[in-house]
Amino acid sequence: MNGSWKLVLPVGFVLYSLPLFLRVNGTSDYVIDEEFHIPQGLAFCRKEFDVWDQKITTFPGLYLIALILNPFNMCTVTGLRMLSLAGAGINILLLYKIRRRILAGTGGNSYAAHEAITMSVLPPLYFFSHLYYTDTLSLTMVLIFINYWQQEAHLPAAVFGAASVLMRQTNIVWVCMATGMTVLDTLVQQCARTQAVPKDKIRLIGKELWIQLFSSPQLLCNCILSILARCCFYASIILPFVGFLCINGSIVVGDKSAHEASLHVPQLFYFAVFAAGFGISNSMRQFRPAVELIRRNRVFFLLATLLVLVVVHLNTEVHPYLLADNRHYTFYIWSRLYGRFWWFKYAMVPVYLLSISVLFCGLRHMPDSFKLMFPLSLFLVLCFQRLLELRYFLVPYILFRLNTRHTRKGYAEWLELGAHLLLNVATFYVYFTKEFYWQNYHAPQRIIW
């Protein structure tokens, strides 16, 4: 059945989405940021590489892919948007393959297929599968990178890791995360081999491994050589990117004024609520363990509550776009809750801590390397973004959801899938029926994620 799923999932996804895609495609020539993406994509599709909009802040990966359309004379708005739909079809296949490998046969192919479908219809992700945005194809490149990295095919992994960075600069964080995990796992493997014990007996979080490592020159040398052999291809991406940061002075290209880096720790809290809210099956199954974890560590969580209250009070950033752009759901969440009631952001602190606990419990089974690198990567990719933008949560959420603890498929998994589908119906209903006009824009504006 495994081979059947590899065909059924992408073909079924595209056929299911095609009528909706055609309807979305007929509503407007440009949807918000497509105002910049589509003209640039059309220029590159026609091989006009001297055309570049200075307001674009990413590398040109999204527009280079448009070259695929040129031989077929499909350099049109519809053609560009179809690239996203095709990317979404590839994503569901990759989600299935990666999740099935993570489950290691414990859940069966049908379980992995169910999970892949659920993740592929994640409402914010599914919506942008119908538009020419970076999100879908950026995720495609990240997933291909992860797929090869899982198989320790480091050269093709590095190629697609570089492609993911060309799509969106922040994807360098996921390349660094995988590299860091490879380094740490190599240390564990070498130490386990030296001691002739199973790998799960060696803990990264502890002093024994590090004492053994630095007290044995031969072991240290073996670790360094093995790390170099595995990570040299990733270094060829990371080191030039560091050079780019030094020369450019920012991760952003083009218009830096609206995307200046600033410390914004509450982004972690917003992400935790996002992941706990959409990852319904994990949240339902990990709710009791999370509550028990809080109960057993009451003093720690009391101190954490005070710390989070201080962070929320001192470090809540509000980007001007969040207050001005009423075409996004985040505008309404902020204007009607966070911005309207001074106490609301403080009242959310217990929700933040519970959400973080639920996420932690869902990943407790993961190796130490993941537990160390994933939170650090989350911090780097989210906490220097001043703008609250749900699209920034998509890749980290998918990486979280791919690695959640496996359980037998039950009503929680079906509830998560059903909730995603119903929310998609509501989202597209609002998009098709709610129109309003902005000054200096002739076309009607619509609400999106």
Side-chain angles (χ1 to χ4, degrees), residues 290-311:
V291 171
E292 181 63 19
L293 179 68
I294 294 172
R295 189 189 67 80
R296 291 200 315 266
N297 300 275
R298 277 176 275 191
V299 174
F300 172 81
F301 276 93
L302 178 60
L303 295 175
T305 300
L306 295 175
L307 176 61
V308 173
L309 282 169
V310 171
V311 170

Side-chain angles (χ1 to χ4, degrees), residues 52-58 169 248 252-257:
W52 184 257
D53 188 339
Q54 291 299 320
K55 292 184 178 180
I56 292 173
T57 58
T58 59
Q169 294 95 302
N248 190 56
V252 176
V253 298
D255 183 13
K256 300 181 178 68
S257 60

Side-chain angles (χ1 to χ4, degrees), residues 230-251:
R230 292 182 176 187
C231 298
C232 60
F233 298 119
Y234 305 131
S236 67
I237 304 169
I238 296 169
L239 294 179
F241 192 87
V242 172
F244 159 75
L245 288 179
C246 294
I247 295 170
N248 190 56
S250 169
I251 198 171

Side-chain angles (χ1 to χ4, degrees), residues 322-425:
L322 180 62
L323 301 176
D325 196 339
N326 64 344
R327 299 170 296 181
H328 296 280
Y329 287 118
T330 47
F331 168 87
Y332 298 96
I333 293 171
W334 199 271
S335 62
R336 296 180 181 180
L337 294 173
Y338 284 87
R340 184 175 181 182
F341 305 107
W342 67 266
W343 49 264
F344 186 82
K345 63 181 180 181
Y346 304 109
M348 284 295 292
V349 168
V351 179
Y352 298 151
L353 289 172
L354 179 60
S355 298
I356 292 170
S357 301
V358 165
L359 269 57
F360 172 80
C361 290
L363 297 174
R364 278 188 299 183
H365 64 291
M366 293 299 291
D368 288 346
S369 59
F370 184 89
K371 293 177 185 176
L372 289 170
M373 294 304 301
F374 185 65
L376 175 61
S377 301
L378 273 182
F379 180 85
L380 292 174
V381 84
L382 295 179
C383 290
F384 295 97
Q385 304 273 7
R386 189 182 178 195
L387 177 63
L388 173 56
E389 171 65 81
L390 298 184
R391 293 187 298 119
Y392 300 156
F393 297 162
L394 295 179
V395 174
Y397 172 81
I398 290 296
L399 295 179
F400 157 75
R401 187 64 181 81
L402 280 168
N403 290 284
T404 50
R405 184 188 298 272
H406 161 256
T407 57
R408 61 181 178 81
K409 184 166 64 177
Y411 69 92
E413 282 71 26
W414 287 106
L415 179 62
E416 182 176 344
L417 176 58
H420 286 187
L421 293 173
L422 285 175
L423 193 52
N424 279 329
V425 171

